[in-house]
Amino acid sequence: MATPYLSAFATADGWQGYGNGKMPADKLCRVAPGQKLRCDAAAAYGELAAAYQADFHKELCITDSYRPYRAQVDLLRRKPTLAAFPGTSNHGWGLAVDLCDGINDFGTPQYRWMSVHAAAYGWVHPGWAREGGSRQEPWHWEFAGDSLR
Ligand SMILES: [Zn+2]
């Protein structure tokens, strides 16, 4: 699959005038306790999570979502080998999630389910995060927009 989609959502110029990690609270919507996404991504996440729950009979497990700029700086300080450079993460646009409970390992039924179904809800696993990618992160998924549906 070609991946031109993210440029439509997250550019160096920002989104609706807001910078990476500087999203105002009213542009973010809650998806789980302590977890927020840009509202269009949150709506799509809700549909994805409902489908996941219907198949696995448990909630879609999420450990991270929108990451404010200050938290990106802090994460880089604590986990320099893992964290994206501040201002470059799609977590800073409220368009990325880190998932858990099986999805965080390649080859599990939960991971395979995501690989098959996520795109139908506008979610993709970026190439760099896939098995064999430049920074393998099975848990990291991004909202690519309604164009995928
Ligand atoms: Zn992530």
Side-chain angles (χ1 to χ4, degrees), residues 67 91 96-98 137 139-140:
R67 197 178 290 155
H91 285 286
V97 293
D98 293 340
E137 294 188 359
W139 55 85
H140 179 97

Side-chain angles (χ1 to χ4, degrees), residues 40-129:
D40 53 346
Y45 181 90
E47 292 179 33
L48 172 72
Y52 181 91
Q53 184 150 13
D55 282 358
F56 286 101
H57 307 291
K58 44 170 139 173
E59 277 184 37
L60 187 54
C61 175
I62 180 170
T63 60
D64 208 359
S65 50
Y66 173 65
R67 197 178 290 155
Y69 189 81
R70 224 171 36 209
Q72 296 180 39
V73 172
D74 182 58
L75 187 68
L76 183 66
R77 191 170 49 74
R78 288 185 294 110
K79 299 181 180 175
T81 57
L82 199 63
F85 195 75
T88 65
S89 171
N90 279 315
H91 285 286
W93 300 115
L95 297 174
V97 293
D98 293 340
L99 304 175
C100 37
D101 194 27
I103 298 169
N104 51 318
D105 283 310
F106 293 116
T108 62
Q110 293 87 346
Y111 178 85
R112 283 200 302 274
W113 187 95
M114 283 293 291
S115 298
V116 171
H117 297 286
Y121 302 94
W123 289 85
V124 296
H125 197 207
W128 57 262

